[in-house]
Each structure stands twice: as structure tokens, then as C-alpha cells.
Amino acid sequence: MAEITIIGGINIDIEGCPFGSLKAEDSNPGKISLAYGGVGRNIAENAARLGGDTAITRENQTAMVSVIGDDQMGRGAKAQLAELGVDVSCVTELQGRSSSMYLSILDEKHDMAMAISDMSIMDELTPAKLADCAPFLRSSGIVALDANLDEDFLTYACDLLDGVPLFFDPVSASKAARAKNLIGRFYSMKPNVMEAEVLSGLRVETEADLARVGDWFLSQGLEQLFITLNKDGVYYKNEEKEGILRPNQNLKIVSATGAGDSFSAAILLGCVRGLDIEEIARMGMAAASIAMESEQAVNSNINMKELKRRMRED
């Protein structure tokens, strides 16, 4: 059994970028790249890479619950997680289905011109499939869910796993609302400012507003809150501590994509290791700084040794 289990999507990200100006209704010479993605999958990969030097003796510290299609890309994504030591026994391959895919076309400035998202396979990650994994899930130290799961599924998961610490990643402001009535069922959450506003119904414009929103989340039953502030750092709060950590001004930023997923992985590791909330926030900031140095959603160079080094320097 795993200390950390993530329930969420495994995505195949396909991106095309033209060499010159993007021409509509024409074939554009350019570069096409393929990568494994999905918020849940990214968190699982980061947790596995960061947990490589863990003192926890279980065979697999990290596990993933998800669905893939019977195609080479889905199988490749599953195999890559397994190679990193992630328990993928609850990643189900569905016959006759295509894996979740995100196809984006960039313009010559590397801005997105259009995209098509096919996550329909996630409808097959049903409460019945989750119930099949119930003994496995209930033995986890913490279980993470992301807002790509619909409200009914999230509600069922909270009921099924009552008593197990649950972590929620809102993913986006529009999807965050799916957990609006479930806040007190979670142990920990990591919204950004917009997501925190959607969940609480309160505006966040000042540090005083952050404190007010923090009080509101805890009043709903949440025990631990991290509100990411983009370039301004992170606000953290539980019953014992509250504060704001600011980022190192010398950050090297290649891409901010995936920074939040690495932060979530650090929170999960910090929770199962019983760390102080401020220490967890520092871990999250260090993990995000490593993630932003890569063009990929997950920086393959992320590891606990480098994370600890950056924490000592801050």
C-alpha cells in the first residue's frame, strides 16, 4: 500500500507550433511535441521523484487511481509512472476507448491559437471503480483529488474515505466550484487567489483579505490551507500558524506550467512526514522553483536533495 495516493487524470498533451506565421485552413510546417500530463498524473510523478530518498519503507510510496484507453500513449504514460516507482495497479485500461488528450496549436509567438480537449474517458472513473479500490485507498496516509473529477464523484470519494486525510487541488477557478459544498471534508487545499475567491465567495485584494479568507476556510472545517499568490509567493494557515512566504527574487523562470502540481506534491510529502505547515510551505516553494526551470510540466531533475538545498538557501 502507498502513503500517498492520487485520484485524477492521466493526459496526453500534444502541442504544435509553426516555424513561421500560423496560417488558418492550411498545413503549417512546424514542430509537434508529445508529453504525458494531467494534474493528477503530474502530482504523482513529482511525488515519486521527490520521494526517492524517503525513509518510508513501503514498496511504493506513491500510487495513482485513474483510467486510460487501450492505446500506446496511455500505456506509455502508465509505464512511465511505474518505472518511477508509482503503484499503478488501480490505473484501469479501458477497451475501445482513447486516452485523455489535449491538442493545442500555438502561433508564431508561442501563444495558444486554439485547442481541443478530450477528457471524456474520465467519465469512466466512476464511484463503482473507486469502491473497488476502497481497501487500498483507506490504507493511504493521504489521498489527493483534483477538480477534473465532477462534484458527484468528489462527494462519493469524501463519503467513502471518511476518516482518511484528503487533499484537494482546485485546478482552475471554473472547476473549483465543484468542491464548494465539500470544503470541510478535506484536510488540506491549495487554491490560488481566484480559486479561493470562488470557493469562499470573498474578495482577496490585500493581506488582510487573505487572513479573513483563511479564517473562513478553517471555520468550514478545513485544517490546512495554502493559497498560492503566483509571483508573490504563498499564504499558509492552520490553527497554530499563519504567514506569507515570498519567493527568491533570482528565480529562473522558463515556464510556470506545472509549478502548482509540484507544489501539491510537496504538500502531500510534507503531510505524510508530519512536517510543520511553514516547513511544508517552504518545500512547496522550493519544488515550484525547480519546476519553473523546465519547459516540461514536470522537471525530470526534481529531487529531494535539490529541494532541501534550495530550502537552506532561502
Side-chain angles (χ1 to χ4, degrees):
M1 299 300 177
E3 283 291 330
I4 297 167
T5 302
I6 297 98
I7 305 171
I10 293 176
N11 222 44
I12 311 302
D13 295 333
I14 305 170
E15 180 183 273
C17 185
F19 292 140
S21 297
L22 182 66
K23 296 180 177 65
E25 301 178 9
D26 197 4
S27 177
N28 291 262
K31 180 182 178 181
I32 298 174
S33 61
L34 183 148
Y36 303 133
V39 171
R41 194 218 67 87
N42 291 347
I43 294 172
E45 180 179 348
N46 276 295
R49 291 186 182 279
L50 284 171
D53 70 343
T54 180
I56 296 171
T57 57
R58 300 196 181 194
E59 183 178 351
N60 298 92
Q61 184 190 354
T62 304
M64 180 98 199
V65 177
S66 190
V67 288
I68 57 171
D70 60 345
D71 47 49
Q72 286 299 110
M73 291 181 289
R75 292 177 190 136
K78 180 178 178 179
Q80 188 240 17
L81 288 176
E83 288 169 4
L84 289 169
V86 177
D87 186 328
V88 293
S89 59
C90 285
V91 175
T92 305
E93 180 179 321
L94 302 178
Q95 298 301 308
R97 295 300 302 268
S98 296
S99 296
S100 177
M101 297 188 192
Y102 181 79
L103 170 64
S104 61
I105 303 296
L106 308 184
D107 63 19
E108 61 275 13
K109 298 178 181 178
H110 290 255
D111 293 325
M112 188 179 71
M114 64 184 70
I116 298 175
S117 177
D118 178 4
M119 297 188 68
S120 57
I121 194 172
M122 290 302 295
D123 294 338
E124 302 299 325
L125 185 56
T126 61
K129 282 190 172 59
L130 195 65
D132 291 340
C133 300
F136 181 92
L137 291 164
R138 290 190 181 117
S139 70
S140 298
I142 191 166
V143 174
L145 301 104
D146 70 52
N148 286 312
L149 306 164
D150 66 31
E151 185 174 354
D152 289 342
F153 186 96
L154 290 170
T155 301
Y156 180 83
C158 288
D159 291 339
L160 181 71
L161 303 176
D162 187 39
V164 178
L166 301 178
F167 169 80
F168 181 67
D169 190 312
V171 177
S172 69
S174 60
K175 293 179 179 180
R178 297 176 181 180
K180 194 174 180 67
N181 299 317
L182 299 169
I183 292 168
R185 308 294 297 276
F186 292 99
Y187 171 77
S188 181
M189 278 190 180
K190 185 195 64 63
N192 62 24
V193 170
M194 290 179 63
E195 293 158 358
E197 290 179 335
V198 168
L199 288 165
S200 68
L202 302 172
R203 292 287 294 168
V204 179
E205 296 177 342
T206 66
E207 290 188 12
D209 291 338
L210 280 172
R212 184 162 56 99
V213 170
D215 288 339
W216 183 88
F217 272 97
L218 265 61
S219 75
Q220 304 305 300
L222 188 74
E223 294 189 39
Q224 185 187 79
L225 174 67
F226 302 88
I227 300 179
T228 54
L229 310 174
N230 297 321
K231 61 181 177 60
D232 295 321
V234 63
Y235 165 85
Y236 61 89
K237 182 176 176 64
N238 63 9
E239 288 290 352
E240 291 78 37
K241 278 191 174 183
E242 177 181 32
I244 296 176
L245 293 180
R246 302 296 184 186
N248 187 317
Q249 296 302 309
N250 298 318
L251 280 177
K252 176 186 175 184
I253 301 177
V254 175
S255 172
T257 301
D261 301 337
S262 64
F263 201 123
S264 292
I267 291 172
L268 295 172
L269 281 165
C271 287
V272 297
R273 294 181 180 187
L275 299 184
D276 169 86
I277 188 171
E278 183 177 353
E279 189 77 357
I280 295 174
R282 292 189 183 280
M283 281 182 63
M285 291 279 285
S289 74
I290 297 170
M292 289 189 288
E293 293 178 357
S294 171
E295 291 182 354
Q296 304 301 318
V298 178
N299 189 338
S300 60
N301 293 320
I302 195 169
N303 59 74
M304 186 58 71
K305 182 178 179 180
E306 175 61 15
L307 186 145
K308 289 179 176 178
R309 185 189 70 78
R310 296 190 186 207
M311 290 172 67
R312 287 194 297 270
E313 289 182 352
D314 288 342

